[in-house]
Amino acid sequence: MAAFRLHVFILLTGMFTSLVAYANIEVNLPTTVEVKDGVYQIQVSKMLDFYLDTTSQYSINDISSPEFQHKFQKVTDGHVVYDYLDSDLWMRLTVSNKQSDHNQSWYFESWGFDIKKFTFYFPNPDGSFHENTAGFSLPFFERNIHHKNFNQFLDVRPGETKTYYFKVQRTYNQEFSFYVRSNERFLSHSLNEYFLLGTYYGVLILILIFNLYLFIKLKDLLYLYFPCLIFACIWFSLGRDGLGFQYLWPGMPWINKLNNEKVIELLIILATLLFSNRYIQKYTKSDKVFKATIWAAFAKLLLFLSQIYVYEMYYINYLTITFLILFIPFSMGLYTLAKEKIYSWSYIFAFACLFLVIVYSYSKTIQLFNNPVLNWYFVYPVIFIEMILFSFSIFKQIKFLQDEYVNANKERTLVLEKNNQLTLQLNSKLKEKVKARTEKIEKMASDLAKKNVELQTTNLRLEELNAQVTQMNKFLEENNKELKMSVQVTTKDLALMKGLDFEDFKKVFPNKEACFQFLSELKWKDSFHCKKCGYNKYNEGANFGRRCRNCNYYESPTVDTLFHKLKFPIEKAFYILYLTNRKDVNLSLNEISEILELRRETCWAFKNKINLAMEKVNHNKDLSGWETLALVHLD
């Protein structure tokens, strides 16, 4: 009995296991997308099967193997699976073409530019797969179809059923939007999308160019900050829809990583703060708004750096702080305008659009519509409206400034009219005074004419006296010049013959130039002959030396003299020579050293050199002056 129960239990267990296995097989059968006549587009986002490879170790051969097919699950949500951002997400697409039209071709489109890596596998007739990889982290031209989205041609003919696989690597929990489109629908959809985006960018660029033109003409920073804001929004849009990657930096995918919400948001907020401050300042000067703007920009920059390098806050907290940073100078500016009774609703609503752009672009989880394409592009019309509203606020400000200018002109005209009336009154009074003054001046002029005749006569006499004085001055100058030369010659003779102290001696030979000049005149008083070639023509060189015109040899005044290779100032050597030749003065070496501020050994050495020169030429102090020893050359 026990054995029978055991057999029954084993039989029932086997049947239950078979049923469960069969149920699993039924549940995990591939989801098939059927292409029928009259159908041109199918959204297949939830008609796929997926497998999450958490270890990222499986290849296409493993994934496509029959024993692996039951591991796929049906896609029930546009996000497919949340989190697991570091894992490979495999998806399976089975397409069955049941059309009768053989001229129809089909494309698979993965909408959305910001998929990190998208690898599509095409089945080959031999059972293998052809691989094509794209993504915002790879060069754009590696794609089979050069389109901002990920598009693949499905070579599935009528009556055929093919299974495609693709592997996705994500950077955030994005909602996927996959379509199977006919060739005509694919082209019309692409053209319409590019046309609308081109219109969007065209309007923004026109507004940017117009404001740059105003900046060049008016030299006002308001029309430079606003283009900076427009440029930041254009850059944000180009990085969001993929057109920048397709047309501007296709070979530099690393730029796509710069187009994240933090960098773009920082540029937009800084440009908005500068633009808003300048907008307020053009209405009314406010130091408080200016200081609040500077502090807000500095705080935003610190918050950005903290998010990147220090600590990344939860995005709701981050957005709250960002709103406070923007709201404080914005509210202060509105309060300042309200005090002046200036209201600009376009400016207020433009700021509201800016807040919506920041929230919506930073948080990719906000879903206002069921269609992910509409959710993604919703920020574009908001930016468009924001730029239009800011432009309206600028136009309104220009009109306000024009009205202010017109009113100022009116006030100035009234002031000018009053001034003209006063001027006419003053002119009438001035005419009477001028008439009386003119009569008085005419009388004075007749008197001055008489006195002028007298002055001319006096001037003629003064000119004669001046000529006589000039002749006398010329005569006195010539006498004075001769007297000065006589005094110089007499002084020099005194220096050569009589006793002078060092201070008086320095008046005759005050510096080395005077010594060199004296030595040059003494050395070549007869004539000059070159020591090298004997030529007698020369040019005067430095320190009153002479350079031969024939061989270009330069000879210094000290060469072959007592002062050759002198190691201390030559004017002091002159005085030592002068003292040595005097009989009435007998100074010791210490006294000479103290007077000339030279070392005793230096004075002794030069004095000894003088004694040798005296012996060489048999010098007589009574008959010869000290200058005769200057030209003695000692080997």
Side-chain angles (χ1 to χ4, degrees):
M1 187 65 179
F4 175 74
R5 290 177 180 176
L6 179 61
H7 284 295
V8 172
F9 176 75
I10 293 172
L11 179 62
L12 290 176
T13 302
M15 291 175 64
F16 179 76
T17 303
S18 300
L19 288 172
V20 170
Y22 178 76
N24 288 334
I25 292 172
E26 288 295 325
V27 170
N28 292 307
L29 287 175
T31 304
T32 303
V33 178
E34 294 184 354
V35 178
K36 300 178 180 179
D37 290 333
V39 176
Y40 303 99
Q41 175 177 294
I42 304 174
Q43 185 176 10
V44 298
S45 302
K46 296 182 181 179
M47 302 176 69
L48 304 171
D49 305 311
F50 78 95
Y51 173 75
L52 183 64
D53 184 6
T54 56
T55 59
S56 299
Q57 64 178 350
Y58 294 110
S59 65
I60 182 60
N61 293 327
D62 300 325
I63 295 296
S64 62
S65 62
E67 57 272 13
F68 210 93
Q69 300 305 303
H70 71 279
K71 295 184 180 181
F72 278 86
Q73 304 177 42
K74 295 184 181 300
V75 174
T76 58
D77 186 88
H79 299 84
V80 182
V81 64
Y82 288 91
D83 299 328
Y84 300 99
L85 300 180
D86 296 330
S87 303
D88 291 340
L89 182 61
W90 289 87
M91 297 190 197
R92 180 178 62 191
L93 170 66
T94 301
V95 181
S96 177
N97 191 343
K98 296 185 177 182
Q99 285 187 322
S100 58
D101 185 4
H102 286 262
N103 294 325
Q104 192 71 266
S105 58
W106 290 87
Y107 289 85
F108 170 79
E109 180 176 20
S110 173
W111 183 89
F113 149 75
D114 58 343
I115 297 177
K116 181 179 180 181
K117 192 174 182 181
F118 188 95
T119 306
F120 198 89
Y121 296 92
F122 301 85
N124 295 322
D126 59 357
S128 62
F129 288 87
H130 173 69
E131 175 183 328
N132 178 246
T133 302
F136 81 94
S137 61
L138 301 173
F140 183 83
F141 294 116
E142 291 184 2
R143 305 181 182 188
N144 284 340
I145 300 176
H146 292 167
H147 191 275
K148 69 183 190 63
N149 298 330
F150 303 107
N151 298 286
Q152 311 292 339
F153 172 65
L154 302 178
D155 188 17
V156 53
R157 311 307 299 166
E160 291 183 341
T161 300
K162 290 186 178 181
T163 299
Y164 307 87
Y165 297 90
F166 52 94
K167 180 171 62 174
V168 175
Q169 294 179 1
R170 306 163 294 163
T171 56
Y172 67 97
N173 288 315
Q174 59 192 118
E175 183 178 8
F176 297 101
S177 182
F178 301 127
Y179 289 87
V180 172
R181 291 190 173 100
S182 65
N183 183 61
E184 291 78 8
R185 180 58 60 88
F186 170 71
L187 291 176
S188 64
H189 171 77
S190 298
L191 291 175
N192 291 335
E193 187 177 12
Y194 277 77
F195 172 75
L196 293 175
L197 289 175
T199 304
Y200 166 77
Y201 286 115
V203 173
L204 292 187
I205 291 173
L206 286 176
I207 297 174
L208 184 146
I209 293 174
F210 176 70
N211 281 273
L212 287 178
Y213 171 78
L214 291 178
F215 171 71
I216 294 171
K217 288 295 183 181
L218 303 179
K219 301 296 187 295
D220 194 324
L221 289 177
L222 176 71
Y223 308 113
L224 179 62
Y225 295 147
F226 189 44
C228 290
L229 175 59
I230 299 174
F231 176 77
C233 291
I234 291 176
W235 187 14
F236 161 74
S237 302
L238 289 172
R240 188 176 177 87
D241 56 34
L243 288 182
F245 188 34
Q246 180 175 354
Y247 292 109
L248 300 181
W249 56 86
M252 296 178 286
W254 57 270
I255 296 181
N256 294 327
K257 298 180 180 179
L258 296 178
N259 291 328
N260 59 67
E261 64 279 356
K262 296 185 182 68
V263 176
I264 300 299
E265 178 205 20
L266 174 67
L267 296 179
I268 291 176
I269 289 177
L270 291 181
T272 303
L273 287 172
L274 294 174
F275 165 75
S276 176
N277 172 69
R278 184 58 187 163
Y279 180 81
I280 299 298
Q281 299 299 331
K282 284 181 69 66
Y283 277 117
T284 174
K285 302 294 182 183
S286 176
D287 291 336
K288 292 183 179 180
V289 174
F290 175 75
K291 292 178 180 178
T293 302
I294 296 301
W295 280 108
F298 183 70
K300 179 57 188 173
L301 184 60
L302 288 180
L303 183 63
F304 168 76
L305 295 175
S306 175
Q307 282 286 101
I308 299 297
Y309 300 107
V310 181
Y311 172 73
E312 185 174 3
M313 293 188 293
Y314 184 55
Y315 78 91
I316 294 180
N317 298 332
Y318 180 78
L319 286 177
T320 303
I321 297 175
T322 300
F323 285 163
L324 288 175
I325 291 173
L326 268 175
F327 185 74
I328 290 174
F330 171 66
S331 59
M332 291 179 64
L334 290 182
Y335 177 73
T336 303
L337 294 179
K339 286 198 304 182
E340 300 293 331
K341 296 183 180 180
I342 299 172
Y343 306 99
S344 177
W345 293 107
S346 59
Y347 174 73
I348 296 173
F349 286 126
F351 247 89
C353 291
L354 174 66
F355 286 135
L356 184 58
V357 168
I358 293 174
V359 172
Y360 202 76
S361 62
Y362 193 89
S363 176
K364 298 182 175 67
T365 60
I366 297 177
Q367 305 295 330
L368 297 181
F369 308 99
N370 293 327
N371 190 325
V373 178
L374 292 179
N375 284 323
W376 190 260
Y377 280 132
F378 174 72
V379 71
Y380 282 64
V382 176
I383 291 176
F384 187 84
I385 295 172
E386 175 193 348
M387 295 299 109
I388 297 297
L389 290 175
F390 272 137
S391 298
F392 283 160
S393 64
I394 289 176
F395 291 144
K396 182 178 179 181
Q397 187 180 77
I398 292 175
K399 186 178 182 303
F400 171 81
L401 295 176
Q402 286 177 342
D403 293 340
E404 290 288 318
Y405 179 75
V406 170
N407 293 332
N409 281 338
K410 290 180 179 179
E411 293 179 359
R412 186 171 61 182
T413 303
L414 292 175
V415 172
L416 288 175
E417 289 177 355
K418 292 180 179 180
N419 289 336
N420 288 333
Q421 292 177 359
L422 292 173
T423 302
L424 291 174
Q425 295 175 0
L426 291 173
N427 285 338
S428 62
K429 293 180 180 180
L430 285 173
K431 284 180 180 179
E432 295 176 358
K433 291 183 178 181
V434 167
K435 183 178 180 181
R437 188 69 174 172
T438 302
E439 293 176 354
K440 187 177 180 181
I441 290 173
E442 288 177 352
K443 184 179 179 181
M444 293 175 62
S446 62
D447 295 338
L448 288 173
K450 295 178 181 179
K451 292 182 179 180
N452 188 38
V453 173
E454 296 176 359
L455 286 174
Q456 287 178 355
T457 304
T458 305
N459 284 335
L460 290 174
R461 294 178 61 189
L462 288 174
E463 287 178 359
E464 292 177 358
L465 293 173
N466 188 39
Q468 294 176 4
V469 170
T470 301
Q471 291 179 357
M472 292 178 66
N473 285 337
K474 186 176 180 182
F475 177 75
L476 289 174
E477 285 178 359
E478 291 176 354
N479 288 340
N480 188 33
K481 186 175 180 181
E482 292 177 359
L483 181 60
K484 285 182 179 180
M485 292 178 62
S486 177
V487 168
Q488 290 178 353
V489 172
T490 303
T491 305
K492 188 174 290 186
D493 290 341
L494 287 173
L496 297 175
M497 300 182 65
K498 294 183 179 181
L500 296 176
D501 58 13
F502 185 56
E503 294 301 324
D504 293 333
F505 189 83
K506 283 198 295 183
K507 295 179 181 178
V508 180
F509 299 101
N511 48 41
K512 64 179 183 179
E513 286 77 12
C515 297
F516 284 140
Q517 183 179 5
F518 173 77
L519 195 58
S520 175
E521 293 172 355
L522 186 65
K523 184 175 180 180
W524 292 299
K525 63 183 178 179
D526 297 329
S527 62
F528 168 80
H529 292 281
C530 178
K531 290 185 178 296
K532 279 195 171 184
C533 66
Y535 195 65
N536 61 350
K537 301 293 183 181
Y538 65 91
N539 291 323
E540 189 169 326
N543 295 329
F544 299 95
R546 303 196 174 178
R547 186 178 299 278
C548 178
R549 291 187 181 179
N550 182 40
C551 65
N552 205 34
Y553 172 73
Y554 173 78
E555 183 177 345
S556 171
T558 59
V559 173
D560 294 339
T561 67
L562 193 63
F563 307 100
H564 188 56
K565 296 183 180 179
L566 188 65
K567 302 298 183 181
F568 60 95
I570 190 170
E571 57 268 25
K572 295 183 180 182
F574 266 43
Y575 190 64
I576 294 174
L577 179 59
Y578 164 73
L579 290 176
T580 305
N581 195 60
R582 287 183 56 185
K583 292 169 52 179
D584 57 337
V585 177
N586 188 16
L587 297 177
S588 65
L589 287 175
N590 291 332
E591 291 174 335
I592 296 174
S593 174
E594 184 177 353
I595 292 172
L596 299 180
E597 297 180 353
L598 294 174
R599 292 192 310 113
R600 184 179 182 280
E601 290 78 5
T602 303
C603 296
W604 177 86
F606 190 70
K607 195 169 182 181
N608 186 52
K609 191 174 182 181
I610 294 171
N611 293 330
L612 293 175
M614 286 180 175
E615 292 177 2
K616 182 175 181 180
V617 298
N618 195 18
H619 181 73
N620 190 333
K621 293 183 180 181
D622 295 332
L623 300 177
S624 303
W626 62 269
E627 71 276 8
T628 58
L629 294 173
L631 299 179
V632 177
H633 175 58
L634 298 176
D635 295 332

